[in-house]
């Protein structure tokens, strides 16, 4: 099983190497997740969006096309490079900043972003620590949208050897952690029969 743990680490937890770069360059299976997240974010030209776990940069490109500014964060140097390359014009124009950093310790200023998002990230992080950081960097009135896999996902979505090595959280657990972090009106919506779409806001 040590070999499978290595596989999970190199392709999912901290993607790196040629195979990970090829896989994450445009993860087509995530396109519907991107659609659902963008709908929930309802971005405008006035928004400065923070994305945690930017992967290959496909979501960033779609968000930027809506006119917002953006900061993208990943703890994988390979994913930072992919996102930067895929969105070179936006980086050059100052509309996108790409940063290598841990989700639980963001080198970003307080109350800076109008909205924050993370997709398929909660499996591998300390969720309370992540939510505390997202609350810290989110401006008053800002909004949060998270997208993750619900507990007991279909085998077609996440085979048992993978599911056994990641963390899942019930709707109740997510709401409790959001409230503990200071977020208002946390809501968890089941989407697609296998996913959780989480929304909340910061008042002050």
């Amino acid at each position: 099983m040590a070999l499978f743990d290595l596989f999970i680490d190199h392709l999912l937890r901290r993607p790196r190497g040629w195979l990970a770069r090829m896989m994450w360059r445009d993860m087509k299976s995530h396109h519907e997740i991107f659609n659902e997240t963008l709908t929930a974010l309802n971005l405008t030209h006035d928004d400065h969006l923070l994305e945690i776990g930017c992967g290959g940069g496909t979501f960033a490109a779609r968000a930027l096309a809506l006119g917002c500014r953006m900061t993208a964060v990943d703890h994988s140097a390979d994913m930072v490079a992919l996102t930067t390359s895929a969105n070179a014009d936006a980086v050059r124009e100052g509309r996108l900043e790409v940063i290598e950093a841990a989700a639980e310790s963001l080198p970003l200023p307080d109350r800076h972003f109008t909205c924050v998002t993370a997709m398929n990230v909660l499996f591998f992080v300390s969720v309370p620590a992540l939510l505390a950081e997202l609350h810290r960097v989110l401006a008053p009135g800002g909004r949060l949208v998270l997208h993750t896999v619900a507990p007991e996902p279909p085998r077609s979505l996440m085979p048992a050897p993978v599911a056994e090595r990641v963390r899942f959280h019930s709707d109740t657990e997510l709401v409790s952690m959001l409230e503990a972090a200071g977020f208002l009106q946390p809501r968890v919506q089941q989407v697609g029969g296998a996913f959780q779409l989480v929304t909340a806001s910061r008042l002050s």
Side-chain angles (χ1 to χ4, degrees):
M1 286 299 182
L3 185 60
F4 200 84
D5 290 332
L6 193 64
F7 170 84
I8 294 289
D9 189 57
H10 278 239
L11 287 186
L12 301 178
R13 183 175 285 108
R14 188 189 296 268
R16 55 197 184 274
W18 69 269
L19 182 58
R21 290 192 298 272
M22 182 174 67
M23 184 176 85
W24 287 102
R25 191 173 301 279
D26 183 12
M27 183 69 83
K28 290 183 169 51
S29 63
H30 287 188
H31 284 192
E32 188 57 31
I33 293 172
F34 298 161
N35 290 339
E36 291 162 354
T37 301
L38 287 170
T39 297
L41 283 167
N42 192 26
L43 295 168
T44 73
H45 285 71
D46 295 326
D47 278 318
H48 189 173
L49 169 65
L50 170 64
E51 181 191 8
I52 304 297
C54 56
T58 304
F59 177 82
R62 295 181 62 176
L64 288 162
L66 298 174
C68 69
R69 290 181 298 135
M70 189 169 177
T71 297
V73 175
D74 206 291
H75 67 168
S76 164
D78 283 10
M79 298 301 102
V80 167
L82 277 181
T83 295
T84 301
S85 175
N87 298 279
D89 288 345
V91 171
R92 186 168 51 252
E93 294 163 3
R95 295 186 296 117
L96 171 65
E97 181 181 17
V98 190
I99 298 172
E100 182 181 348
E104 301 96 332
S105 182
L106 298 170
L108 298 169
D110 295 352
R111 302 185 174 204
H112 189 66
F113 299 94
T114 63
C115 45
V116 296
T117 191
M119 293 158 282
N120 291 332
V121 167
L122 304 189
F123 311 128
F124 300 119
V125 302
S126 166
V127 175
L130 169 64
L131 294 179
E133 279 292 85
L134 295 184
H135 187 272
R136 178 182 66 80
V137 302
L138 192 61
R143 56 208 189 273
L144 170 143
V145 176
L146 307 175
H147 203 298
T148 190
V149 177
E152 301 182 9
R155 283 181 174 270
S156 59
L157 179 67
M158 188 173 289
V162 177
E164 291 166 0
R165 288 166 170 80
V166 299
R167 300 187 191 105
F168 300 98
H169 305 87
S170 70
D171 295 0
T172 301
E173 288 171 335
L174 289 171
V175 168
S176 294
M177 288 188 284
L178 284 159
E179 290 176 338
F183 285 98
L184 295 178
Q185 300 178 317
R187 180 181 178 220
V188 182
Q189 177 186 354
Q190 299 291 321
V191 291
F195 299 97
Q196 294 161 304
L197 181 67
V198 182
T199 57
S201 61
R202 172 173 177 166
L203 177 61
S204 61

